[in-house]
PDB file of all heavy atoms in Angstrom:
ATOM      1  N   GLU I  29      32.608  10.617 -26.560  1.00 93.00           N
ATOM      2  CA  GLU I  29      33.150  10.018 -25.341  1.00 93.00           C
ATOM      3  C   GLU I  29      33.587   8.581 -25.600  1.00 93.00           C
ATOM      4  O   GLU I  29      34.667   8.162 -25.168  1.00 93.00           O
ATOM      5  CB  GLU I  29      32.123  10.061 -24.208  1.00 93.00           C
ATOM      6  CG  GLU I  29      32.642   9.435 -22.927  1.00 93.00           C
ATOM      7  CD  GLU I  29      31.615   9.411 -21.800  1.00 93.00           C
ATOM      8  OE1 GLU I  29      30.408   9.521 -22.086  1.00 93.00           O
ATOM      9  OE2 GLU I  29      32.037   9.288 -20.643  1.00 93.00           O
ATOM     10  N   HIS I  31      34.536   7.289 -28.435  1.00 94.00           N
ATOM     11  CA  HIS I  31      35.757   7.328 -29.246  1.00 94.00           C
ATOM     12  C   HIS I  31      36.978   7.645 -28.380  1.00 94.00           C
ATOM     13  O   HIS I  31      38.029   7.003 -28.513  1.00 94.00           O
ATOM     14  CB  HIS I  31      35.639   8.383 -30.343  1.00 94.00           C
ATOM     15  CG  HIS I  31      34.765   7.972 -31.467  1.00 94.00           C
ATOM     16  ND1 HIS I  31      34.457   8.807 -32.505  1.00 94.00           N
ATOM     17  CD2 HIS I  31      34.111   6.822 -31.746  1.00 94.00           C
ATOM     18  CE1 HIS I  31      33.678   8.194 -33.359  1.00 94.00           C
ATOM     19  NE2 HIS I  31      33.444   6.988 -32.912  1.00 94.00           N
ATOM     20  N   LEU I  32      36.844   8.637 -27.511  1.00 96.00           N
ATOM     21  CA  LEU I  32      37.984   9.052 -26.698  1.00 96.00           C
ATOM     22  C   LEU I  32      38.376   7.993 -25.670  1.00 96.00           C
ATOM     23  O   LEU I  32      39.566   7.799 -25.396  1.00 96.00           O
ATOM     24  CB  LEU I  32      37.698  10.392 -26.026  1.00 96.00           C
ATOM     25  CG  LEU I  32      37.645  11.574 -26.995  1.00 96.00           C
ATOM     26  CD1 LEU I  32      37.165  12.828 -26.290  1.00 96.00           C
ATOM     27  CD2 LEU I  32      39.000  11.794 -27.651  1.00 96.00           C
ATOM     28  N   LEU I  33      37.397   7.304 -25.096  1.00 94.00           N
ATOM     29  CA  LEU I  33      37.729   6.224 -24.170  1.00 94.00           C
ATOM     30  C   LEU I  33      38.430   5.087 -24.910  1.00 94.00           C
ATOM     31  O   LEU I  33      39.359   4.462 -24.391  1.00 94.00           O
ATOM     32  CB  LEU I  33      36.480   5.731 -23.440  1.00 94.00           C
ATOM     33  CG  LEU I  33      35.914   6.706 -22.406  1.00 94.00           C
ATOM     34  CD1 LEU I  33      34.566   6.218 -21.874  1.00 94.00           C
ATOM     35  CD2 LEU I  33      36.902   6.910 -21.257  1.00 94.00           C
ATOM     36  N   HIS I  34      38.000   4.824 -26.132  1.00 94.00           N
ATOM     37  CA  HIS I  34      38.667   3.823 -26.965  1.00 94.00           C
ATOM     38  C   HIS I  34      40.098   4.274 -27.253  1.00 94.00           C
ATOM     39  O   HIS I  34      41.039   3.469 -27.222  1.00 94.00           O
ATOM     40  CB  HIS I  34      37.880   3.609 -28.265  1.00 94.00           C
ATOM     41  CG  HIS I  34      38.439   2.543 -29.132  1.00 94.00           C
ATOM     42  ND1 HIS I  34      39.249   2.821 -30.206  1.00 94.00           N
ATOM     43  CD2 HIS I  34      38.331   1.194 -29.079  1.00 94.00           C
ATOM     44  CE1 HIS I  34      39.612   1.694 -30.782  1.00 94.00           C
ATOM     45  NE2 HIS I  34      39.069   0.690 -30.124  1.00 94.00           N
ATOM     46  N   PHE I  35      40.264   5.561 -27.528  1.00 95.00           N
ATOM     47  CA  PHE I  35      41.605   6.098 -27.770  1.00 95.00           C
ATOM     48  C   PHE I  35      42.484   5.949 -26.524  1.00 95.00           C
ATOM     49  O   PHE I  35      43.644   5.543 -26.623  1.00 95.00           O
ATOM     50  CB  PHE I  35      41.532   7.567 -28.190  1.00 95.00           C
ATOM     51  CG  PHE I  35      42.873   8.209 -28.340  1.00 95.00           C
ATOM     52  CD1 PHE I  35      43.688   7.891 -29.408  1.00 95.00           C
ATOM     53  CD2 PHE I  35      43.329   9.120 -27.397  1.00 95.00           C
ATOM     54  CE1 PHE I  35      44.946   8.474 -29.552  1.00 95.00           C
ATOM     55  CE2 PHE I  35      44.580   9.710 -27.529  1.00 95.00           C
ATOM     56  CZ  PHE I  35      45.388   9.385 -28.610  1.00 95.00           C
ATOM     57  N   ALA I  36      41.937   6.270 -25.342  1.00 94.00           N
ATOM     58  CA  ALA I  36      42.692   6.152 -24.098  1.00 94.00           C
ATOM     59  C   ALA I  36      43.142   4.708 -23.883  1.00 94.00           C
ATOM     60  O   ALA I  36      44.273   4.441 -23.470  1.00 94.00           O
ATOM     61  CB  ALA I  36      41.858   6.644 -22.918  1.00 94.00           C
ATOM     62  N   LYS I  37      42.274   3.762 -24.196  1.00 93.00           N
ATOM     63  CA  LYS I  37      42.628   2.343 -24.073  1.00 93.00           C
ATOM     64  C   LYS I  37      43.734   1.995 -25.073  1.00 93.00           C
ATOM     65  O   LYS I  37      44.672   1.270 -24.750  1.00 93.00           O
ATOM     66  CB  LYS I  37      41.402   1.465 -24.297  1.00 93.00           C
ATOM     67  CG  LYS I  37      41.674  -0.020 -24.105  1.00 93.00           C
ATOM     68  CD  LYS I  37      40.404  -0.817 -24.270  1.00 93.00           C
ATOM     69  CE  LYS I  37      40.568  -2.300 -24.089  1.00 93.00           C
ATOM     70  NZ  LYS I  37      41.842  -2.898 -24.319  1.00 93.00           N
TER      71      LYS I  37
END
Side-chain angles (χ1 to χ4, degrees):
E29 179 182 20
H31 285 175
L32 291 172
L33 289 172
H34 184 261
F35 175 72
K37 183 177 180 335

